[in-house]
Amino acid sequence: MNGVYWGLTAMDLMGALGEMCRDEVISFVSQCQHESGGFRASIGHDPSLLCTLSAIQVHQFLWRLLTCRLCSVVYQWRQN
């Protein structure tokens, strides 16, 4: 997930963010969401706060709402 974030950051710095396939990136990020609401580094990994932050940052780069439960993420982490 961190690699996705930094890859999008690099593309943005080069002025080439529009060349990224948003739907594919969003599909990957969505598949990395754990049932707890957090996000994983990749499919099948354990969720972490850093990966969840990166997923939210990816969302901001793509200017589009992820089909994820961001409220659930915040709620779950505030409970711990």
Side-chain angles (χ1 to χ4, degrees):
M1 190 61 58
N2 300 326
V4 174
Y5 167 71
W6 286 112
L8 289 173
T9 300
M11 294 297 284
D12 188 43
L13 289 172
M14 294 185 296
L17 187 58
E19 295 180 29
M20 300 299 294
C21 182
R22 292 179 184 174
D23 292 335
E24 288 181 20
V25 173
I26 289 188
S27 174
F28 173 75
V29 172
S30 296
Q31 291 175 38
C32 290
Q33 188 172 20
H34 188 265
E35 62 248 9
S36 69
F39 287 83
R40 315 167 219 221
S42 189
I43 300 166
H45 290 240
D46 292 329
S48 72
L49 184 57
L50 178 60
C51 292
T52 300
L53 171 62
S54 294
I56 292 169
Q57 291 170 319
V58 166
H59 159 258
Q60 291 299 316
F61 266 114
L62 298 179
W63 308 289
R64 181 174 168 180
L65 291 176
L66 292 172
T67 55
C68 71
R69 303 156 294 170
L70 289 179
C71 291
S72 171
V73 172
V74 173
Y75 178 78
Q76 290 291 330
W77 293 48
R78 288 183 68 189
Q79 295 298 314
N80 294 328

